[in-house]
């Protein structure tokens, strides 16, 4: 059967990227700010009244800054999917696949059993639907969803099969947090995409691209290049998802203004933490509050050596500045699992240059074993707490575990950086990172959970394993 060709490929694009990335200077701002498109939010899909959620994976097209139309894919739209708002309780999902290849919908960050998790063992064939009856029971936080077919995840996510989830308990206004979607509460999906000389988006990873992960030369926020986010002159909540295949961002504002971190992947911190630089690796989410009361047109930047603009902001005095005081806390302290009796496992995230050069699959593996659909790597006891010591080889790898929320207890022998000192499900492992988690969701041999590097080219190449919880 003919596989749908999502994207054109081009050798010219590759040559250009290898010559250096073309993000340009300090600002993503177009020559004349008045011609800059306004940043759009993904549409909202609020499931709180109905307890239902319908998505349709479909083909679409996307043109980047006036260039040619690219063949893309999205959930119920051309590229990416709606922001799904959900609360605790029953949630009946219905996902249809109108594409010509199998996809899956993994709820990255939702605590659901293996058979609802949407990993590689739960494919939705072309023309079929998947209808898990889920139950949501977790702390509020920003999660996301994306396709997760083994060997095809990188290409499918790159094409657009991803979206954001907000788990809410309806109490954010009481917490003193901005809640006006698209006004003072912005959802920002950060993705880099590679664009060739003709303005076409390409996905054509070379051997080196697989080694480093596929990087782009254009910055997209919510599928737009060079847009400007209009914000009120008050505190604005930014929910950031790094939805890139491989690029990590070191975020900061060009004028050095503070980012008040209020939530990590899996929920709120006890109190805001003020940072000037925040790193975000693939798969990670953060919520930050930024004070725009001083006005102006600050730029969110990334990169320390070669900084580039991620998103321009423009303060609009006509917008309502509802929140002007930084909340001092969100209640409860973080649960400490470190006193619990636990089993320790060690995992090395392997990649071998030799294997790559010999064309032997690249040696992408965990503990020397490349991912295999029919092999269970670990068996974990339901309700138990475990300590995993994860080691990266060659480059830092973002490590993700399905079906859990974890705490980072050590990073390279030291206590975790402040931005990792909260509940998480994905963490960049610079060298050696120690995490602790409790396994409360069951997963069977047929529908196991995954653990993997979230550089999608590494994951597809075998840097992934699977485990049962019973
Ligand atoms: Cu975000 Cu196993 O994935
Ligand atoms: Cu996940
Ligand atoms: Cu990796």
């Amino acid at each position: 059967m003919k596989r749908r060709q999502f994207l054109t490929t081009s050798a010219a694009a590759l040559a250009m990227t290898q010559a250096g990335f073309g993000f340009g200077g300090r600002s993503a701002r177009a020559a004349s700010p008045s011609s800059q498109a306004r940043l759009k939010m993904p549409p909202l899909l609020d499931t709180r009244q109905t307890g239902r959620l319908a998505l349709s994976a479909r083909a679409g097209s996307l043109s980047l800054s006036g260039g040619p139309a690219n063949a893309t894919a999205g959930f119920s739209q051309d590229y990416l999917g709606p922001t799904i708002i959900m609360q605790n309780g029953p949630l009946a999902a219905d996902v249809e696949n109108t594409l010509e290849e199998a996809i899956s919908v993994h709820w990255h960050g939702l605590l659901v059993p293996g058979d609802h998790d949407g990993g590689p063992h739960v494919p939705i064939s072309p023309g079929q639907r998947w209808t898990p009856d889920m139950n949501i029971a977790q702390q509020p936080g920003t999660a996301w969803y994306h396709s997760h077919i083994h060997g095809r995840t990188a290409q499918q996510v790159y094409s657009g099969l991803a979206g954001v989830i907000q788990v809410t308990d309806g109490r954010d206004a009481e917490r003193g947090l901005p809640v006006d979607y698209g006004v003072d509460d912005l959802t920002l999906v950060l993705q880099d995409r590679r664009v060739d000389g003709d303005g076409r988006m390409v996905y054509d990873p070379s051997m080196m691209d697989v080694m480093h992960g596929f990087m782009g030369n254009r910055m997209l926020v919510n599928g737009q290049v060079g847009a400007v986010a209009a914000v009120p002159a008050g505190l604005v909540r930014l929910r950031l998802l790094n939805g890139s295949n491989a690029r990590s961002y070191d975020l900061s504002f060009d004028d050095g203004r503070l980012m008040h971190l209020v939530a990590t992947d899996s929920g709120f911190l006890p109190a805001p933490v003020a940072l000037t630089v925040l790193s975000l690796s693939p798969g990670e989410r953060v919520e930050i509050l930024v004070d725009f009361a001083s006005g102006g047109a600050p730029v969110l930047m990334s990169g320390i050596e070669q900084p580039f603009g991620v998103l321009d902001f423009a303060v609009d005095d006509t917008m309502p500045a509802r929140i002007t005081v930084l909340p001092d806390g969100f209640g409860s302290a973080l649960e400490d699992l470190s006193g619990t009796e636990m089993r320790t496992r060690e995992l090395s995230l392997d990649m071998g240059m030799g294997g790559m050069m010999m064309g032997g699959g690249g040696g992408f593996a965990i503990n020397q074993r490349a991912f295999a659909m029919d092999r269970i790597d670990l068996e974990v006891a339901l309700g138990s707490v475990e300590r995993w010591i994860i080691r990266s080889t060659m480059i830092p790898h973002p490590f993700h575990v399905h079906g859990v929320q974890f705490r980072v207890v050590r990073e390279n022998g030291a206590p975790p950086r402040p931005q990792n000192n909260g509940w998480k499900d994905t963490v960049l492992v610079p060298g050696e990172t120690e995490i602790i988690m409790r396994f409360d969701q069951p997963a069977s041999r047929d529908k196991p959970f995954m653990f993997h590097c979230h550089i999608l080219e590494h994951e597809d190449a075998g840097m992934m394993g699977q485990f049962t919880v019973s």
Side-chain angles (χ1 to χ4, degrees), residues 42-45 54-55 75-77 80-84 145 162-165 181:
L44 270 185
L45 175 51
L55 292 173
F75 290 106
S76 312
Q77 56 180 1
L80 298 175
T83 297
I84 303 172
Y145 57 103
V164 171
I165 295 173
Y181 187 74

Side-chain angles (χ1 to χ4, degrees), residues 244-262:
S244 309
N245 280 33
R247 186 181 289 279
S248 287
Y249 301 91
D250 290 299
L251 300 169
S252 62
F253 276 92
D254 64 336
D255 58 3
R257 77 180 58 206
L258 294 173
M259 297 175 281
H260 300 277
L261 181 69
V262 296

Side-chain angles (χ1 to χ4, degrees), residues 44-260:
L44 270 185
L45 175 51
D46 192 337
T47 68
R48 288 176 292 181
Q49 295 304 315
T50 60
R52 299 191 162 274
L53 154 58
L55 292 173
S56 173
R58 67 165 176 86
S61 86
L62 177 69
S63 138
L64 299 177
S65 34
N70 297 290
T72 54
F75 290 106
S76 312
Q77 56 180 1
D78 283 310
Y79 181 79
L80 298 175
T83 297
I84 303 172
I85 302 195
M86 53 179 72
Q87 64 191 5
N88 285 348
L91 180 61
D94 182 345
V95 187
E96 69 160 347
N97 179 12
T98 72
L99 296 165
E100 290 171 27
E101 64 180 272
I103 62 154
S104 77
V105 178
H106 166 52
W107 317 107
H108 178 143
L110 293 189
L111 297 175
V112 293
D115 48 357
H116 293 168
D117 182 58
H121 293 273
V122 193
I124 313 169
S125 301
Q128 299 298 300
R129 350 174 57 91
W130 179 50
T131 56
D133 276 322
M134 306 199 285
N135 188 58
I136 307 304
Q138 62 187 77
Q139 295 301 309
T142 303
W144 65 303
Y145 57 103
H146 61 80
S147 191
H148 208 314
I149 294 294
H150 182 52
R152 299 283 299 155
T153 300
Q155 165 118 39
Q156 292 184 344
V157 172
Y158 193 91
S159 298
L161 291 178
V164 171
I165 295 173
Q166 298 179 2
V167 181
T168 178
D169 61 2
R171 295 184 45 225
D172 283 358
E174 280 167 54
R175 292 185 177 97
L177 290 169
V179 292
D180 200 350
Y181 187 74
V183 178
D184 59 10
D185 180 357
L186 307 187
T187 289
L188 306 176
V189 182
L190 309 188
Q191 296 177 308
D192 61 336
R193 291 293 181 260
R194 194 177 292 180
V195 172
D196 71 9
D198 299 326
R200 264 174 239 286
M201 192 164 107
V202 293
Y203 186 74
D204 183 16
S206 67
M207 207 181 267
M208 284 312 279
D209 287 325
V210 175
M211 291 291 287
H212 299 288
F214 191 83
M215 309 269 184
N217 53 11
R218 290 288 184 285
M219 195 60 225
L220 274 63
V221 180
N222 300 345
Q224 283 175 276
V225 173
V228 59
V231 287
L235 280 170
V236 174
R237 178 184 195 172
L238 306 179
R239 305 184 195 235
L240 298 160
L241 159 67
N242 184 348
S244 309
N245 280 33
R247 186 181 289 279
S248 287
Y249 301 91
D250 290 299
L251 300 169
S252 62
F253 276 92
D254 64 336
D255 58 3
R257 77 180 58 206
L258 294 173
M259 297 175 281
H260 300 277

Side-chain angles (χ1 to χ4, degrees), residues 106-109 117 119-120 144-148 153 157 282-283 285 400-402 425-426 450-454 456 459 464:
H106 166 52
W107 317 107
H108 178 143
D117 182 58
W144 65 303
Y145 57 103
H146 61 80
S147 191
H148 208 314
T153 300
V157 172
R285 292 86 65 210
H400 169 51
V401 189
H402 288 210
D425 57 45
T426 306
M450 304 292 132
F451 54 94
H452 58 90
C453 174
H454 222 289
L456 301 180
E459 171 188 336
M464 178 156 74

Side-chain angles (χ1 to χ4, degrees), residues 397 453 455 458 463:
H397 300 273
C453 174
I455 292 177
H458 291 183
M463 197 180 282

Side-chain angles (χ1 to χ4, degrees), residues 187-406:
T187 289
L188 306 176
V189 182
L190 309 188
Q191 296 177 308
D192 61 336
R193 291 293 181 260
R194 194 177 292 180
V195 172
D196 71 9
D198 299 326
R200 264 174 239 286
M201 192 164 107
V202 293
Y203 186 74
D204 183 16
S206 67
M207 207 181 267
M208 284 312 279
D209 287 325
V210 175
M211 291 291 287
H212 299 288
F214 191 83
M215 309 269 184
N217 53 11
R218 290 288 184 285
M219 195 60 225
L220 274 63
V221 180
N222 300 345
Q224 283 175 276
V225 173
V228 59
V231 287
L235 280 170
V236 174
R237 178 184 195 172
L238 306 179
R239 305 184 195 235
L240 298 160
L241 159 67
N242 184 348
S244 309
N245 280 33
R247 186 181 289 279
S248 287
Y249 301 91
D250 290 299
L251 300 169
S252 62
F253 276 92
D254 64 336
D255 58 3
R257 77 180 58 206
L258 294 173
M259 297 175 281
H260 300 277
L261 181 69
V262 296
T264 52
D265 298 331
S266 317
F268 290 116
L269 296 172
V273 176
L275 299 169
T276 51
V277 183
L278 178 59
S279 72
L280 200 64
S281 71
E284 286 186 299
R285 292 86 65 210
V286 286
E287 293 182 32
I288 59 176
L289 297 180
V290 180
D291 192 349
F292 291 102
S294 62
V299 182
L300 182 65
M301 312 284 301
S302 173
I304 291 153
E305 312 246 294
Q306 274 184 295
F308 58 89
V310 170
L311 181 62
D312 290 354
F313 289 85
V315 179
D316 178 349
D317 292 313
T318 66
M319 292 172 74
R322 295 206 177 88
I323 307 286
T324 53
V325 181
L326 188 70
D328 49 15
F330 308 107
S332 58
L334 296 167
E335 187 190 359
D336 181 8
L337 296 171
S338 62
T340 329
E341 197 181 313
M342 65 186 97
R343 162 169 194 168
T344 298
R345 301 184 198 260
E346 300 187 27
L347 302 174
S348 78
L349 308 178
D350 305 322
M351 55 190 283
M353 193 69 176
M356 199 70 207
M357 290 312 177
M358 319 259 282
F364 290 92
I366 295 182
N367 288 353
Q368 317 298 323
R369 297 205 288 192
F371 179 77
M373 285 290 278
D374 58 359
R375 186 192 67 236
I376 298 296
D377 298 280
L378 310 171
E379 293 178 347
V380 175
L382 184 62
S384 69
V385 175
E386 295 200 354
R387 173 201 316 271
W388 289 10
I389 301 169
I390 305 127
R391 296 191 183 90
S392 279
T393 54
M394 300 199 44
I395 60 168
H397 300 273
F399 184 74
H400 169 51
V401 189
H402 288 210
V404 297
Q405 300 180 337
F406 58 69

